[in-house]
């Protein structure tokens, strides 16, 4: 079992924290206002700390902050994240008029690559960003089996993340290792589909699936 820190306290953090805690991991939520966030976690099996302390004490850290501010926020935690595995589940987009994801913030790159550049002593692994947040911890809820893509430079870190995906309910053959961190560009580009899908279907669970 691992000590896992999750930076962010929104819907993504809630879904991941509850499932990973249920699998026996120790979960700490890193938020800028732990006292305020406590109202959202009544009776939860998690601790609430500030982001720096959360990153410092965790072996694995999940970036569940908004992608458009992730590089700035996590770059400030470079020392705390040194030697850690960072799982990036974010998408960096501008917001359209309805508050939905709009244009890609890094059209010729990815937030995952920017994070790896800002955190050279951290093993960044991109995954779980090609689906509605509910599917991240409940992949078998869909009628068609979804795909969890992996991108990262460190093979050992990707193996650890693959194990955690298993704890979230992902069978090993539903996980597709794309290669190094530069391959995160493809999955992140899928965020461009989200506004159209949400406007047509609402927030019904969905995910990208690689058909074989």
């Amino acid at each position: 079992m691992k000590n896992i820190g999750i930076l962010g306290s929104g819907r993504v953090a809630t879904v991941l924290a509850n499932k990973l805690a249920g699998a026996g991991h120790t979960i700490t939520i890193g938020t800028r206002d732990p006292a305020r966030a406590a109202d959202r976690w009544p009776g939860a099996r998690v601790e609430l700390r500030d982001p720096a302390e959360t990153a410092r004490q965790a072996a694995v850290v999940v970036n569940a902050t908004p992608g458009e501010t992730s590089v700035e926020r996590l770059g400030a935690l470079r020392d705390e994240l040194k030697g850690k595995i960072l799982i990036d589940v974010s998408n960096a987009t501008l917001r359209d008029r309805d508050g939905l994801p709009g244009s890609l913030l890094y059209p010729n790159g990815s937030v995952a690559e920017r994070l790896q550049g800002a955190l050279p002593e951290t093993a960044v692994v991109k995954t779980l960003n090609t689906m509605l947040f509910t599917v991240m911890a409940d992949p078998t809820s869909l009628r068609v089996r979804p795909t969890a893509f992996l991108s990262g430079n460190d093979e050992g870190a990707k193996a650890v993340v693959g194990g955690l995906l298993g704890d979230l309910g992902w069978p090993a053959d539903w996980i597709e290792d794309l290669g190094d961190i530069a391959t995160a560009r493809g999955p992140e580009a899928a965020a461009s589909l989200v506004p159209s899908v949400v406007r047509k279907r609402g927030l019904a669970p969905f995910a990208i699936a690689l058909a074989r």
Side-chain angles (χ1 to χ4, degrees):
M1 298 299 105
K2 298 188 180 301
N3 191 330
I4 300 173
I6 300 179
L7 301 179
S9 57
R11 295 178 298 183
V12 171
T14 301
V15 165
L16 296 178
N18 288 336
K19 189 65 173 282
L20 291 170
H25 299 287
T26 300
I27 307 298
T28 303
I29 300 296
T31 175
R32 289 176 289 188
D33 191 347
R36 183 177 178 183
D39 293 337
R40 295 185 229 168
W41 301 82
R45 294 169 292 177
V46 302
E47 293 186 23
L48 298 169
R49 306 287 184 190
D50 65 71
E53 186 176 357
T54 297
R56 190 179 302 115
Q57 69 181 14
V60 177
V61 178
V62 179
N63 174 34
T65 68
E68 57 267 33
T69 60
S70 289
V71 176
E72 179 182 359
R73 289 188 185 190
L74 275 66
L77 301 175
R78 178 170 173 168
D79 289 341
E80 289 83 359
L81 290 168
K82 181 179 179 180
K84 309 296 177 68
I85 295 172
L86 176 65
I87 304 174
D88 177 36
V89 301
S90 71
N91 283 311
T93 64
L94 302 174
R95 297 287 164 177
D96 68 11
R97 64 184 183 278
D98 299 323
L100 293 171
S103 301
L104 297 175
L105 189 59
Y106 307 119
N108 297 313
S110 65
V111 62
E113 290 174 275
R114 296 290 184 107
L115 286 170
Q116 187 62 85
L119 304 166
E121 296 178 279
T122 302
V124 178
V125 179
K126 186 78 181 192
T127 194
L128 295 180
N129 68 302
T130 55
M131 61 201 70
L132 192 70
F133 67 95
T134 57
V135 181
M136 294 179 175
D138 192 14
T140 59
S141 63
L142 301 182
R143 287 176 293 179
V144 175
R145 73 182 201 178
T147 303
F149 298 101
L150 281 180
S151 299
N153 296 337
D154 189 303
E155 296 300 322
K158 286 192 287 187
V160 170
V161 175
L164 293 176
L165 289 177
D167 291 339
L168 289 170
W170 288 87
D173 61 348
W174 294 16
I175 301 170
E176 188 76 17
D177 186 343
L178 298 177
D180 66 20
I181 200 66
T183 65
R185 298 181 185 188
E188 287 195 24
S192 299
L193 290 170
V194 172
S196 300
V197 172
V198 171
R199 287 192 181 99
K200 183 175 180 61
R201 298 184 177 274
L203 288 175
F206 68 89
I208 301 296
L210 181 62
R212 298 181 178 89

